[in-house]
Amino acid sequence: SRRRAIAAAGSTSRPAFLGIGAQKSGTTWLHANLAAHPGIFLPEAKELHWLDWNWHRTVEAYRTWFDPAGDRIAGEITPAYAIAPEERVAAVAAMTPGLRAIMILRDPVERAWSQAMMNLVRFGGRDVDSIPAADLRRHLQSPPVLQRSRYSASIDRWRRHLSEDRVLIGFFEEIATSPAALLARVLEFLGLDGAEEFAARSPALEVSVNRGGGEAMPEAARETLVAVLGDELSRLADRFGEPCISWKRRWLG
């Protein structure tokens, strides 16, 4: 079957697939549902970070994470891979024939705000109302936030090294409105038989997504993000249609 072919290729050049993001866009849900499938192997650690923090480790050391996979399709999910440097994307694509990548997109303004609240409130221990507007603007315009919301550049970078049919794009809204359909699409993309049947009964379909703490977005944050991500909202709307058109309409009118 196609699944066995993908798994066989992966056994000598694992991983067979990567979840590359986007951060704060449903990768926890994706991980839970793929981990529940008996034909898929994911390492115990959700994020291996080989293409960023752990790039100093050898290919052999990285692949040992997938040794227990057997004939299952092996992969891993690290949202930071969306912004991995070009040479590292090229290297992992070259070392892994047939590699597939999965990326879930979220309204880039909402995603950036969610990341900022994670960084400043959850990890930084600050109350959002106490953060000076200048500090908030500076953080929202920082490369770590903006790069993760500029999906077009990430998708283009990965597609320069993986053919278009080996990069699957999903949308955050699908997790809320049609999770079984999104999961079935991912499983079919990975070559698994019975994708629709499993997706309809996956025990992890209702896993909650990490939307952030729910803090209201101040006007200073809204103005900043719309100014720096307006061009990306337009690109996404032109490229993918809905739901990106609705994202653009929401912020740009």
Side-chain angles (χ1 to χ4, degrees), residues 3 17 33-35 37-42 72-75 187 190 192:
R3 182 186 73 81
F17 72 90
N33 279 277
L34 294 184
H37 195 288
I40 293 175
F41 172 82
L42 293 168
R72 290 173 290 174
I73 295 174
L187 296 176
L190 296 178
L192 287 147

Side-chain angles (χ1 to χ4, degrees), residues 1-249:
S1 70
R2 182 165 167 245
R3 182 186 73 81
R4 282 195 294 271
I6 292 174
S11 68
T12 56
S13 56
R14 286 172 175 149
F17 72 90
L18 296 173
I20 63 171
Q23 186 188 47
K24 309 300 292 181
S25 300
T27 54
T28 297
W29 176 91
L30 179 65
H31 187 277
N33 279 277
L34 294 184
H37 195 288
I40 293 175
F41 172 82
L42 293 168
E44 187 175 345
K46 175 176 176 279
E47 300 180 15
L48 299 186
H49 285 282
W50 187 54
L51 297 183
D52 53 345
W53 304 342
N54 295 315
W55 188 243
H56 61 283
R57 297 184 179 173
T58 65
V59 172
E60 292 73 20
Y62 174 58
R63 284 184 174 150
T64 61
W65 282 100
F66 307 103
D67 286 347
D71 64 354
R72 290 173 290 174
I73 295 174
E76 63 123 334
I77 299 172
T78 301
Y81 291 169
I83 60 168
E86 181 102 26
E87 64 273 14
R88 299 184 187 181
V89 175
V92 75
M95 81 175 206
T96 316
L99 179 69
R100 292 164 182 266
I102 303 164
M103 187 171 188
I104 299 177
L105 309 186
R106 178 182 182 181
D107 177 328
V109 173
E110 281 191 349
R111 194 223 64 79
W113 177 244
S114 181
Q115 181 189 346
M117 290 302 91
M118 177 182 70
N119 294 345
L120 297 175
V121 176
R122 181 176 156 199
F123 295 149
R126 305 173 72 178
D127 181 273
V128 66
D129 295 328
S130 71
I131 302 172
D135 289 356
L136 194 56
R137 288 193 180 98
R138 190 177 306 112
H139 185 80
L140 293 171
Q141 294 178 80
S142 66
V145 174
L146 290 186
Q147 288 173 8
R148 286 172 170 81
S149 276
R150 288 182 170 147
Y151 310 133
S152 297
S154 295
I155 293 166
D156 289 344
R157 188 181 313 113
W158 279 87
R159 282 185 169 166
R160 280 194 286 273
H161 304 283
L162 302 179
S163 58
E164 187 165 345
D165 64 328
R166 288 196 279 132
V167 180
L168 182 145
I169 304 297
F171 295 95
F172 190 72
E173 286 84 350
E174 294 179 87
I175 297 174
T177 62
S178 52
L182 174 59
L183 178 57
R185 189 153 62 93
V186 171
L187 296 176
E188 289 169 357
F189 173 71
L190 296 178
L192 287 147
D193 299 324
E196 290 187 7
E197 291 79 3
F198 178 84
R201 57 180 174 80
S202 172
L205 274 186
E206 302 303 318
V207 165
S208 62
V209 296
N210 295 326
R211 293 178 175 272
E215 296 84 358
M217 189 185 303
E219 184 63 19
R222 188 198 69 79
E223 289 179 353
T224 299
L225 288 173
V226 170
V228 295
L229 292 172
D231 56 346
E232 180 64 14
L233 287 163
S234 295
R235 278 192 292 268
L236 293 169
D238 292 343
R239 188 167 185 170
F240 295 111
E242 289 292 357
C244 305
I245 291 172
S246 295
W247 302 344
K248 178 182 177 182
R249 186 181 303 118

